Amino acid sequence: MKWLRFVGVLTLSCLILLGETTVGYSYNFEDSGTTTHSVGLQQKKEGYKMIKKRHVLSSSMMTMKSSEPKVKAAVENEKINDVGSTNQPSLEAFAQYPKVRVVATGYYAGVESTGKGPGHPSYGITYSGVKVHRGTYSTIAADLKVFPLGTILYVPGYGYGVVTDKGGAIKGNKLDLYFKTKKDVYSQWGKKEVEVFVVHRGKGYVNERMMKTLNEDGVAAFAQIRK
């Protein structure tokens, strides 16, 4: 009798637990995008109910943060501000453009290079009227019969150069690359023989408005400007 009474009590207890109590457990897991999910499973009379919560650390936020440096790097690869910059793009990127072997020298706006000092009214002004500039697209001098005004060249080790000037000694396949100071001319360049890439062949003119467009909107926009 005691044994039957024990079984009856146990059975009644099980029925009470199944009918009225809630049994729950939860666990966390991370998906391939490093998103942390919290999943809970609750058991009640009406069945099973899945509860899913997304924490603040989401894969979309992680993707945005991780992609920013890549986007920035891609942009920087097109901007050459200094000789020897680690941001210079691979020459494979210019394989589609014609190559020309030239002898390139460096110059600056001072007396030794141009015969003009800071007090001269034409100091720092190129043949086209554009002011000398060293940056993403620097001003350079060339033989205008070989490279017309407005021609954009990519010079390995120097960066992009826009033909805005000419020179008495610049004949044939020769270039004069602008640098800010005399020291830069000698320490960063001097004189080199190099193959340059003709990114855009100029139409024989260039001005400050075109240079501004080039720096803001790129080569395609620059090429569409009419004199």
Side-chain angles (χ1 to χ4, degrees):
M1 293 294 291
K2 291 183 178 180
W3 181 80
L4 290 175
R5 187 179 301 169
F6 174 77
V7 172
V9 172
L10 180 61
T11 303
L12 180 60
S13 299
C14 291
L15 290 173
I16 293 173
L17 289 172
L18 288 173
E20 296 181 2
T21 61
T22 298
V23 178
Y25 63 91
S26 64
Y27 62 95
N28 295 327
F29 68 92
E30 291 188 357
D31 62 17
S32 58
T34 67
T35 301
T36 301
H37 300 292
S38 177
V39 179
L41 181 63
Q42 291 184 338
Q43 180 182 330
K44 290 185 179 181
K45 289 178 65 176
E46 65 268 25
Y48 296 97
K49 181 179 180 182
M50 296 296 295
I51 301 173
K52 183 178 180 181
K53 295 189 297 182
R54 183 181 296 272
H55 290 271
V56 175
L57 178 60
S58 67
S59 58
S60 59
M61 293 177 64
M62 291 292 290
T63 301
M64 289 177 62
K65 291 182 179 179
S66 62
S67 64
E68 287 176 357
K70 294 179 182 179
V71 173
K72 184 178 180 181
V75 173
E76 288 300 323
N77 279 345
E78 299 179 359
K79 296 184 177 183
I80 310 302
N81 297 315
D82 298 294
V83 169
S85 170
T86 56
N87 290 327
Q88 293 195 29
S90 168
L91 295 185
E92 294 179 359
F94 299 93
Q96 60 182 306
Y97 301 114
K99 290 189 296 185
V100 181
R101 182 166 290 277
V102 303
V103 174
T105 52
Y107 85 101
Y108 78 115
V111 176
E112 291 90 341
S113 293
T114 65
K116 303 169 186 174
H120 194 284
S122 297
Y123 177 78
I125 306 297
T126 65
Y127 173 74
S128 64
V130 172
K131 294 180 181 179
V132 291
H133 176 71
R134 179 72 175 116
T136 303
Y137 295 96
S138 304
T139 53
I140 63 176
D143 184 338
L144 303 186
K145 294 180 180 179
V146 180
F147 300 115
L149 289 174
T151 296
I152 302 174
L153 304 175
Y154 179 74
V155 184
Y158 178 78
Y160 293 99
V162 184
V163 178
T164 61
D165 208 354
K166 64 178 185 176
I170 307 300
K171 301 295 183 182
N173 288 7
K174 292 184 179 181
L175 298 176
D176 226 358
L177 312 178
Y178 173 72
F179 289 87
K180 291 182 179 180
T181 67
K182 180 180 178 180
K183 180 181 178 181
D184 289 344
V185 170
Y186 290 104
S187 65
Q188 298 181 14
W189 194 263
K191 181 179 181 180
K192 298 180 182 180
E193 185 174 341
V194 63
E195 282 190 330
V196 301
F197 297 86
V198 184
V199 176
H200 169 73
R201 186 169 181 80
K203 300 180 178 67
Y205 56 87
V206 64
N207 53 45
E208 292 287 2
R209 180 172 65 92
M210 293 173 69
M211 292 296 291
K212 181 179 180 182
T213 298
L214 177 61
N215 280 280
E216 293 180 353
D217 303 318
V219 177
F222 172 87
Q224 293 176 2
I225 297 179
R226 298 291 181 266
K227 188 174 181 180

